[in-house]
């Protein structure tokens, strides 16, 4: 794992004080935000980095000569360096492509790398617990390129079923797996999957959307080939995502979106693409968003990712225990029952109460949880569910949040009882 | 919690727990229509037995939240045995009940107040309108029914 | 044209006071911002709309039941309505797709509509004055779909040469033209082109990137079929662009990027796309950016687009006259010499001084102009230029800005004299 | 304006206005290498006539800003007639001149101060380092020359 952060000062109450939205009052109660898996809340440092950018430095990047254009470029490229450091990209900033979100990153992977490297009959192996972002682009590629999309099944105890992996790996050219399920909380054995993929001559793509804000991430140590995530789930802004791959791989990928900024030359009869990350960043990039993302990285680093992971593990353990104890039989956790290889995402199935109704009752207590299929319909079908009510933690979460959750949940159960 | 009690009236919870007219009708001769709310995954299947312009029988299957399920149950009780014309009127009245009153003055269609008494038990759903995201839950079965009638015509 | 804005209070000094960046000091001089064609500056109302969004309402949109998720959804969908009103979309908000920038919008057009509707031998007719965003996606489509990309030439006086248009229209299925050149300032006859296209059974796509912040835009009146632009050129934030087309056309377009939010269902064997704008908005959308864009629309409406147009026309006329008078022979304007069908973008070719050097000297006076090919290399080649130094106006521009520009330009000319 | 005068020294403006060694050499036997800066569109073509390990002649064409053009002119004057080894040394020294001094203490490579006298007229380009975006302009011809030498080897 990456350089251990020896920060001794991690204090969730300080994070809380840094996060303006947590002072919001809804329905006469201070908000209890338990939806970080959908999107995390931004600390003041991130919001202000963007405001300051607009107030002082905004200009279009690249090609500029004047002062603020240079500063805007420095902000944008600085964020690339911060991200490279944050995930320990072996080749540094040259390996970081900024997209609009994790979903675009997966489309880049499928439509650029996939189109260039996969032929009819080749298999992309995903899992039953993937987010639609790591499923639909492969179906789209299948429809034009004749590849096969195969699924690693999920066991009844919410883990990947690797018992049959050798057979599943037949003809697989790419394994594309989430590091952590946004429904189950399950953390998958990425290093092991990398070894399996590489042994079979396949590459490994990882959906890091749920991991980066909650665990130390080190793509070099994990030995993965592609790593994808979104800023808005790691205390950063909306409108910017990340795509990482090794420099050699990146430079061999054909262009995806075409336009300004991604070209070396355009003539009346054709164009020559640029090299490096620029090739995949057509048009004016998310500059202010990069400023915000850079600030989010600094903020997370100041807290220490290992500290955050430990803190959230504590919260999760406490919640799992209390849910089992207080709602025995009425509330089922759809996900591992302990905190071994598991993050702070807790999906609930409340007997006799639809997830929508659970969330509606909880809202009256100021509790924010997300009902629905969480963009993971194949997983929902696997467990014969149409929806869960999902609570998820962030670095600003406290046991007090769980208290309110349980109080509100009790009310829901009684109401529909 | 007064808001919540407005939404989840006792009648609604009752219909949610013990849905009326649940089941299937052989189709054909019955008409079968599916409704689906992609946003929240709610599903409803409506079976209609129409004879001589009268909705002789109606059955429903599907799954979803208390609002969508109780609304479909309440709907089935309200329309069963009515003439098609009466059913259409009931649908229109219910749609009106589910319309968020616009405060904007330049709004063209003047919202005429709904006659709640005419709605009977259905009036229990009026609290939904305070929760705009839930309106589509309440409307699902009704839109599906409307679609079924359109197919008849 | 759209409903005339009868605002009598337009005052560029007030706009200036509303724009924090204009108080910036560089090289001991207050900034003279003349690069609005690359990206405009944000008024405080826009910056604060985003900060307030993050501080009070941030949550992922759609599917949420809790208060802030509903508010975030209302903010996001409210921006869609504001944009529909702003360009007078006949079908309202259902016709507005949010992308990451104008460039992505063009890729959506080429890769979704283009792939579905164009067959080998079909022609897409663009112009020699297009931005790369409206060229490269067509070259990319040509490479996979065998279409032809044809160019309407530009006359020596910087206008579209339509003398041969009947011949050029042969086999054309789509005409794709910029409403206003980001290099020349030329405003093209969009209504006329729409009539020509429609007469030949072709559709008309319009690059509105340079138009929307500077003229009243009414897509219904212009009778165009696609209209594309970016928020960051209309006082809005980075990270969000717009794609407009009529509802029937939109609903007939196949999906582009795949992922969450754009589906009606995903099964282990395939997926069903959603309908409406959602189909083209995969993944977490630019929510805060929509808040900023919505505020930018309100701000522009409060100024009145007709007032802005008139103001900028005055600035342009003044600048063109003074440039011709003060730098006779030394400085050539690459673009129309008067303000008939012309916006406030002034590209300069300074004899014996490279555009890069012009911009560098100007920077020392705090003057921000952009040197380069402005992502319009075919146009540069057409006029045998490698670069121009481009000055461009916004609603906050004053004659005083032109004064400083001319002073600095005089210095550059003398220095290299 | 002191900054500007640092960048646009008289020597630079002179070489920009009257570039030395401008033209072409027949290739082959001369080596022809192209350099291109996609960001600003600057182009340079370098022709090298190397005999017995000595750069007997060098010619340049291309277009670009004053920095890229004067740098290529100054370069041609500096390297013409030198042995390949000496040319390589000059390239290395020039690169060093164009390196932004890092303030970060954990920087590995210690920047040894460049012997400005050894650079002669080339030293006029030292002001460029204060304008980081222009460094690539100054380096264009040098990188192209280096590439040409690599092709030789
Ligand atoms: C005419 C024109 N079209 C398209 C674009 C592309 O806009 P964006 O970079 O926001 O995608 C620009 C701006 O760069 C432009 O000036
Ligand atoms: C596991 C996972 N992958 C991918 C995504 C997609 O991220 P985005 O919506 O930012 O594109 C999400 C979040 O929605 C997620 O939880």
């Amino acid at each position: 794992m990456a350089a251990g952060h020896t920060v001794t000062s991690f204090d969730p109450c300080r994070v809380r004080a840094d996060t303006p939205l947590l002072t919001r009052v809804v329905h006469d109660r201070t908000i209890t935000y338990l939806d970080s898996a959908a999107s995390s809340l931004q600390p003041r440092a991130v919001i202000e980095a963007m405001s300051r950018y607009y107030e002082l430095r905004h200009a279009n990047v690249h090609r500029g000569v004047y002062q603020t254009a240079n500063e805007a470029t420095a902000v944008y490229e600085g964020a690339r360096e911060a991200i490279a450091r944050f995930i320990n990209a072996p080749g540094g900033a040259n390996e970081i492509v900024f997209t609009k979100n994790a979903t675009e990153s997966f489309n880049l992977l499928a439509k650029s790398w996939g189109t260039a490297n996969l032929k009819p009959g080749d298999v992309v192996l995903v899992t039953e617990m993937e987010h639609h972002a790591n499923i639909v682009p492969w179906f789209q590629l299948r429809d034009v390129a004749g590849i096969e999309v195969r699924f690693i099944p999920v066991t009844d105890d919410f883990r990947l079923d690797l018992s049959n992996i050798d057979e599943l790996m037949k003809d697989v050219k790419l394994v594309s797996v989430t590091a952590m399920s946004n429904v189950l909380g399950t953390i998958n054995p990425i290093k092991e999957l990398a070894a399996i993929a590489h042994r079979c001559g396949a590459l490994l793509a990882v959906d890091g959307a749920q991991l980066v804000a909650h665990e130390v991430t080190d793509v070099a140590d994990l030995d993965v080939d592609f790593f994808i995530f979104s800023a808005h789930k790691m205390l950063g802004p909306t409108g910017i995502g990340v795509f990482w791959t090794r420099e050699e791989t990146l430079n061999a990928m054909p262009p995806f979106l075409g336009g300004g900024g991604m070209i070396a030359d355009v003539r009346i009869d054709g164009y020559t693409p640029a090299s490096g990350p620029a090739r995949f960043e057509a048009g004016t990039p998310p500059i202010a968003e990069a400023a915000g993302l850079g600030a989010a990285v600094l903020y997370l680093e100041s807290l220490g990712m290992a500290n955050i992971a430990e803190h959230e593990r504590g919260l999760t353990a406490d919640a799992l225990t209390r849910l089992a104890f207080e709602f025995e039989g009425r509330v089922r956790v759809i996900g591992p029952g302990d905190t071994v290889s598991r993050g702070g995402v807790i999906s609930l199935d409340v007997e006799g109460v639809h997830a929508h109704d659970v969330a509606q009752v909880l809202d009256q207590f100021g509790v924010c949880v997300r009902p629905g299929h969480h963009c993971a319909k194949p997983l929902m079908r696997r467990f014969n569910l149409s929806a869960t009510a999902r609570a998820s933690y962030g670095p600003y979460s406290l046991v007090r949040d769980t208290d309110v959750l349980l109080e509100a949940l009790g009310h829901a159960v009684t109401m529909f009882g | 919690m007064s808001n919540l009690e407005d939404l989840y009236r006792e009648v609604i919870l009752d219909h949610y727990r013990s849905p009326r007219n649940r089941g299937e009708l052989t189709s054909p001769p019955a008409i079968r229509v599916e409704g689906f709310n992609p946003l929240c995954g709610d599903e409803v299947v409506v079976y209609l037995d129409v004879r001589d312009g009268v909705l002789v029988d109606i059955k429903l299957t599907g799954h979803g939240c208390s609002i969508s399920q109780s609304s479909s149950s309440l709907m089935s009780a309200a329309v069963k045995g009515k003439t098609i014309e009466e059913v259409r009127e009931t649908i229109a009245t219910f749609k009106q009940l589910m319309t968020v009153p616009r405060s904007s003055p330049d709004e063209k269609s003047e919202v005429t107040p709904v006659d709640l008494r005419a709605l009977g038990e259905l009036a229990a759903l009026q609290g939904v309108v305070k929760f705009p995201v839930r309106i589509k839950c309440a409307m699902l079965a009704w839109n599906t029914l409307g679609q079924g009638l359109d197919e008849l015509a």
Side-chain angles (χ1 to χ4, degrees), chain A residues 24-142:
Chain A
R24 175 75 198 269
V25 171
V26 287
H27 308 309
D28 299 328
R29 307 204 36 161
T30 306
I31 206 165
T32 296
Y33 191 77
L34 288 169
D35 198 19
S36 293
S39 200
S40 51
L41 301 178
Q42 294 76 12
R44 198 168 283 108
V46 167
I47 303 171
E48 283 178 359
M50 291 187 281
S51 299
R52 243 179 294 121
Y53 164 77
Y54 282 122
E55 287 163 8
L56 290 177
R57 318 186 191 292
H58 174 66
N60 216 325
V61 293
H62 308 309
R63 259 178 280 263
V65 160
Y66 57 85
Q67 180 74 17
T68 49
N70 291 341
E71 291 175 6
T73 305
V75 162
Y76 186 65
E77 297 303 329
R80 216 191 285 283
E81 277 167 27
I83 285 292
R85 184 180 70 230
F86 187 66
I87 64 169
N88 194 31
N94 281 339
E95 300 183 336
I96 305 297
V97 175
F98 286 133
T99 58
K100 68 174 174 177
N101 52 26
T103 302
E104 187 194 340
S105 299
F106 270 110
N107 281 274
L108 171 59
L109 175 62
K111 294 174 170 67
S112 166
W113 183 87
T115 305
N117 291 280
L118 301 176
K119 49 180 202 315
D122 283 348
V123 175
V124 172
L125 185 63
V126 299
T127 85
E128 270 182 349
M129 65 169 84
E130 294 312 310
H131 188 279
H132 295 161
N134 189 22
I135 299 176
V136 180
W138 303 117
F139 283 154
Q140 293 182 317
L141 186 64
R142 181 188 63 184

Side-chain angles (χ1 to χ4, degrees), chain A residues 27 29 352-354 356-358 360-365 372-373 377 381 386-387 411 414-417, chain B residues 1 3-5 7-8 13 16-17 36 38-42 63-67 131 133-134 136-137:
Chain A
H27 308 309
R29 307 204 36 161
V353 195
H354 191 276
H356 238 81
D357 294 313
V358 173
Q360 187 80 62
V361 174
L362 266 50
D363 173 55
Q364 288 296 319
F365 290 77
H373 54 62
K377 291 200 89 172
R381 286 218 171 79
S386 66
H411 195 89
T414 313
M415 187 157 180
F416 286 83
Chain B
M1 300 300 104
N3 257 334
L4 261 195
E5 275 143 32
L7 181 64
Y8 296 119
L13 295 178
Y16 179 48
R17 290 190 201 106
F36 183 52
L39 275 182
C40 56
D42 286 4
H63 58 84
C65 66
S66 63
I67 302 302
F131 297 81
V133 283
R134 305 305 294 276
K136 61 183 186 319
C137 309

Side-chain angles (χ1 to χ4, degrees), chain A residues 316-402:
Chain A
T316 308
D318 170 66
L320 292 174
T321 311
R322 289 164 69 188
L323 279 163
F325 182 75
E326 294 185 27
F327 295 94
E328 229 231 297
R330 277 307 302 269
V331 174
R332 191 162 62 110
V333 171
I334 309 299
D338 57 37
T339 56
V340 179
S341 295
R342 184 201 209 293
V345 171
I346 305 182
S347 268
L348 303 175
D349 179 34
V350 182
E351 199 198 323
V353 195
H354 191 276
H356 238 81
D357 294 313
V358 173
Q360 187 80 62
V361 174
L362 266 50
D363 173 55
Q364 288 296 319
F365 290 77
V367 177
C368 307
V369 299
R370 189 147 299 240
H373 54 62
H374 316 296
C375 297
K377 291 200 89 172
L379 182 70
M380 290 312 210
R381 286 218 171 79
R382 157 70 180 85
F383 287 104
N384 207 11
L385 294 162
S386 66
T388 71
R390 181 187 68 186
S392 52
Y393 295 108
Y396 33 66
S397 301
L398 300 177
V399 169
R400 193 209 302 160
D401 295 324
T402 311

